[in-house]
Amino acid sequence: MVSKIRVGALISGGGTNLQAIIDAARGGAIAADIVFVGSDNPDAYGLKRARDSGIPTFVVDYREVIRSFRQQAAAAQLPGDFRLDEVRAKQALRSRDADPEKVDAFLAGRAVAEALLLEAMAAHPFDLLVLAGFMRNLTPYFIDRVNTDRTQPRIMNIHPALLPAFAGTDGYGDTFRYGCKVGGCTVHFVDYGEDSGPIIGQRAFPIREDDTLEDVRRRGLEQEWQLYPECIQLFAEGRLKTVRMTHELPGGKVCERTVVNILPKG
Ligand code: GRF
């Protein structure tokens, strides 16, 4: 028998994925207890879903935190353990060509909000953190404080496209507008980039000639509700192993990437 893992969730909106995870945990389909639900958005409907299920919730109002950070500018209080040089060197969210001052301000402002998230999460020990429609990029400051063992990533995200195609905030919209004949969703571990971490699971579905964007979104979400609990269960069973792969390409160039191997059951 698989012992239960403690799962924390971060959300920004409606929380239909959260609901699927809560239902799977309640129904015994996954060996997990949801120990908290946090949000950057005080109005997220998913917070109500969590409260209705008796799950502790908290909010770090990113909009407020970032506004007050911008107002204070140079005088803003940064977390004591925040090292800008280190976070800047690791981050892959902002292009290396972007205005360095803007990148630094982005990273520092996010770290202020992320320190509040970490503080709220500290009251609820967890094994796995799932991002379920959490619409904020996480910086290396936050990621390193959750992934304390580099070989065991423990932040998962669900993305509404077949990565690595269509990273960003509107995966189904981008898929539809591009004229793709297949859409899909992806669960992956979070790394320092945007939707770029090692892939755990994917589901695909056909896009037909007469489908609207709404059809694509609906069909995609239905797949997400199945895929996310399945991936959480693989984590609970200890079956997700990240490995560094090296491939030599024709011409001698070497390609390296961390990927997830799914270990056999038992
Ligand atoms: C989902 O499409 C998910 O892939 C994306 O945000 C959406 C969240 O939906 N990251 P919900 O809040 O779970 O209903």
Side-chain angles (χ1 to χ4, degrees):
M1 198 178 120
V2 180
S3 46
K4 281 192 181 182
I5 55 164
R6 299 160 300 179
V7 175
L10 295 179
I11 60 162
S12 297
T16 63
N17 276 285
L18 172 70
Q19 190 67 58
I21 296 166
I22 292 173
D23 293 347
R26 286 277 153 84
I30 60 174
D33 283 324
I34 319 301
V35 292
F36 69 79
V37 173
S39 182
D40 61 313
N41 168 17
D43 301 323
Y45 182 73
L47 289 169
K48 178 176 176 342
R49 294 179 189 272
R51 286 193 292 263
D52 287 350
S53 297
I55 300 167
T57 62
F58 60 81
V59 174
V60 173
D61 188 339
Y62 263 57
R63 213 180 319 160
E64 271 309 307
V65 172
I66 291 165
R67 183 160 51 205
S68 106
F69 175 81
R70 286 193 182 133
Q71 273 168 5
Q72 293 166 4
Q77 191 73 36
L78 293 170
D81 59 351
F82 175 71
R83 302 282 168 269
L84 178 59
D85 287 357
E86 185 192 332
V87 172
R88 189 200 293 125
K90 286 178 176 172
Q91 73 89 23
L93 296 167
R94 290 285 181 274
S95 147
R96 302 277 158 200
D97 304 329
D99 178 345
E101 271 182 36
K102 285 196 177 142
V103 173
D104 288 357
F106 166 80
L107 294 171
R110 291 307 139 118
V112 173
E114 290 174 348
L116 295 171
L117 275 184
L118 290 164
E119 196 183 311
M121 286 160 50
H124 313 282
F126 61 93
D127 303 298
L128 173 69
L129 179 65
V130 296
L131 310 182
F134 184 65
M135 302 306 282
R136 302 285 181 171
N137 289 134
L138 294 169
T139 77
Y141 174 74
F142 179 93
I143 294 168
D144 286 354
R145 278 154 187 78
V146 175
N147 289 341
T148 43
D149 176 350
R150 294 297 156 81
T151 65
Q152 300 272 314
R154 57 183 195 125
I155 310 175
M156 273 186 197
N157 181 42
I158 188 152
H159 182 76
L162 288 172
L163 291 171
F166 308 124
T169 54
D170 191 13
Y172 292 133
D174 292 339
T175 301
F176 179 76
R177 288 185 290 270
Y178 200 88
C180 293
K181 307 305 177 209
V182 171
C185 52
T186 304
V187 171
H188 62 95
F189 282 122
V190 169
D191 69 2
Y192 298 145
E194 186 175 22
D195 304 318
S196 59
I199 289 172
I200 299 165
Q202 294 185 302
R203 289 241 181 169
F205 55 88
I207 299 177
R208 293 183 286 264
E209 218 54 42
D210 55 352
D211 279 336
T212 63
L213 175 52
E214 277 324 297
D215 295 327
V216 171
R217 278 194 213 290
R218 183 180 31 79
R219 215 168 297 145
L221 271 172
E222 284 165 8
Q223 296 297 318
E224 292 184 32
W225 302 332
Q226 296 177 41
L227 178 66
Y228 219 168
E230 279 171 17
C231 292
I232 294 170
Q233 180 62 9
L234 288 173
F235 186 96
E237 291 174 4
R239 293 172 58 197
L240 300 179
K241 184 172 166 17
T242 48
V243 288
R244 190 81 184 150
M245 298 297 291
T246 307
H247 306 276
E248 196 176 318
L249 303 177
K253 206 176 150 202
V254 171
C255 142
E256 269 194 82
R257 172 145 179 101
T258 300
V259 301
V260 172
N261 281 354
I262 299 177
L263 305 176
K265 213 174 166 128

